[in-house]
Amino acid sequence: MEILKGAGTSARLKEDVRKMLDTLGGRIPKLAIIRVGVRPDDVSYERSAVKKLESFGLQAETFSYDQDISDQDFKREFKRINEDKDIDGILLLRPLPKQICEKDLEAMIDPEKDLDGISPVNVAKVFAGDDSGFAPCTTEAVVEVLKQNQISITGKRVVIVGRSMVVGKPLSMLLLKENATVTICHTRTKDLKGICREAEILVAAAGKARMLDEEYVAQDAVVVDVGINVDENGNLCGDVDFDSIREKASIATPVPGGVGAVTTAVLAKHLVQSCVKKFGACTE
C-alpha cells in the first residue's frame, strides 16, 4: 500500500499561492481566526493555520473570546471583524458554545471573506457548481489530494461515509462535478460494509476513531481518511484502522499528515483568492 502524505500537495498549492501573490503588487492578504474558549482541537488547528499561512507569506491574526461570552457581545465583535476592510478572510472555529447562535453568524459573514464555506451564499454556490463560491477547506483538500496525485476521479465509484455539511454533502458535490459516481453513507445505512466495498475511492468522514477496517475496503481501493480523533491512549488517529487495510488498499492517506496538512494550504489559497477578487490583479 502506498501511503499518500499531504506534504507534496501542500507544496504544490504553495506554489499556486506564490503566483497569485505576485499579482497583488506587494499587498499581503490577512486572515482573521476567531476562536471562542480554549478547546484543545481548536487551539491546535489555530496554531497549525497560523504557521502554515506565515510559511506561505501571508498574515493571520487570532481573535479569542471567553467561553461564556454572550450571544449579543460575540455578534457585536464578529460584526466589527467582518466589516474590517483590512481583513481579507475569516475562519470561524466551530462548534461554538451553546449560548451563541451559529446560524445567525452563517448569515452574517461576508461571503467574500467566508473562506470555509459556511455562508448560505457559498453553500448554494457549491451545490450549484458555481466556482465563485468557497467550498469548505477540508472538502476541497480531498479533491486536491486526488487530482494533484494523478488519481483519476472521472467515472469512479466513490463512497463517502459521513453526511455532514462540513464534509460529506459538499464533498459529494465537488466529486460529482469531477464526474464521479457518488454514494453517501451514514450510521443508518443498511449493509454499510458491503456498500463501502463497492468503492474504488472510499472517503472516511464518520467522526469515529478507526471505525473502518479491512472489511469495509475493496481490494486495491483508494482510501482517503478525513477523520481527526483522539484514541483511548491520547493519540491522534483517523476514522480508518490504518494498519488493518494495508493488504487491501492500493493507496491511503494517513492521520496525521494526510488531508489535514492540505486543508490549511487550501485555506491559504482561499485567502489569496479572496484578496484577488477584492482588489484585482496588479498590472503594473
Side-chain angles (χ1 to χ4, degrees):
M1 181 182 77
E2 177 186 350
I3 299 174
L4 186 58
K5 295 186 177 180
T9 302
S10 180
R12 288 187 283 274
L13 287 171
K14 185 175 183 178
E15 180 62 20
D16 293 341
V17 166
R18 186 194 65 78
K19 291 176 181 177
M20 286 190 288
L21 277 176
D22 288 344
T23 72
L24 287 172
R27 180 178 176 84
I28 306 300
K30 182 178 181 180
L31 171 71
I33 301 175
I34 304 176
R35 171 172 51 81
V36 181
V38 288
R39 293 174 66 243
D41 51 345
D42 282 350
V43 174
S44 175
Y45 185 69
E46 173 194 314
R47 289 173 180 166
S48 173
V50 170
K51 184 177 180 180
K52 178 74 75 174
L53 263 67
E54 290 178 348
S55 75
F56 277 39
L58 308 172
Q59 301 179 76
E61 181 178 354
T62 297
F63 297 84
S64 58
Y65 301 95
D66 291 338
Q67 177 77 15
D68 59 357
I69 187 172
S70 71
D71 182 65
Q72 182 178 2
D73 288 345
F74 182 71
K75 285 175 181 172
R76 185 182 303 112
E77 288 294 305
F78 187 85
K79 182 175 183 293
R80 177 179 62 82
I81 297 167
N82 197 38
E83 295 176 353
D84 188 335
K85 294 181 179 179
D86 291 329
I87 291 173
D88 303 297
I90 293 173
L91 176 64
L92 176 63
L93 298 180
R94 302 185 297 168
L96 295 169
K98 292 181 179 179
Q99 76 272 14
I100 298 173
C101 180
E102 288 191 17
K103 288 294 182 184
D104 289 347
L105 296 165
E106 291 168 3
M108 287 174 64
I109 193 169
D110 181 347
E112 297 296 326
K113 295 183 179 183
D114 168 33
L115 306 188
D116 205 24
I118 67 172
S119 161
V121 172
N122 283 325
V123 170
K125 286 183 175 182
V126 168
F127 277 75
D130 184 344
D131 289 334
S132 68
F134 290 120
C137 295
T138 300
T139 63
E140 193 168 323
V142 171
V143 178
E144 291 282 3
V145 166
L146 295 172
K147 293 176 70 175
Q148 295 209 33
N149 288 282
Q150 289 74 55
I151 297 171
S152 175
I153 303 174
T154 298
K156 292 295 180 66
R157 296 189 301 275
V158 181
V159 173
I160 303 170
V161 183
R163 55 179 170 177
S164 75
M165 283 300 295
V166 177
V167 180
K169 290 177 182 177
L171 178 57
S172 70
M173 294 297 103
L174 297 188
L175 291 170
L176 284 169
K177 193 172 182 181
E178 296 294 333
N179 298 310
T181 299
V182 182
T183 300
I184 300 179
C185 296
H186 46 81
T187 55
R188 298 188 181 183
T189 298
K190 293 182 179 179
D191 190 22
L192 179 59
K193 290 181 181 180
I195 293 173
C196 288
R197 285 197 299 268
E198 296 174 357
E200 294 169 279
I201 300 174
L202 176 62
V203 182
K208 186 175 180 181
R210 299 191 180 97
M211 172 184 169
L212 306 184
D213 59 21
E214 75 280 0
E215 295 185 8
Y216 292 80
V217 179
Q219 192 67 44
D220 297 325
V222 174
V223 179
V224 181
D225 193 349
V226 181
I228 299 290
N229 308 286
V230 177
D231 66 16
E232 63 275 7
N233 298 316
N235 298 316
L236 200 64
C237 68
D239 288 355
V240 175
D241 187 345
F242 198 74
D243 290 335
S244 78
I245 69 167
R246 288 181 181 274
E247 302 303 318
K248 297 286 288 292
S250 59
I251 301 171
T253 63
V255 177
V259 173
V262 181
T263 297
T264 48
V266 171
L267 175 67
K269 184 182 78 169
H270 284 181
L271 177 62
V272 181
Q273 287 175 328
S274 176
C275 196
V276 169
K277 285 180 184 179
K278 185 172 17 175
F279 296 101
C282 179
T283 57
E284 295 180 3

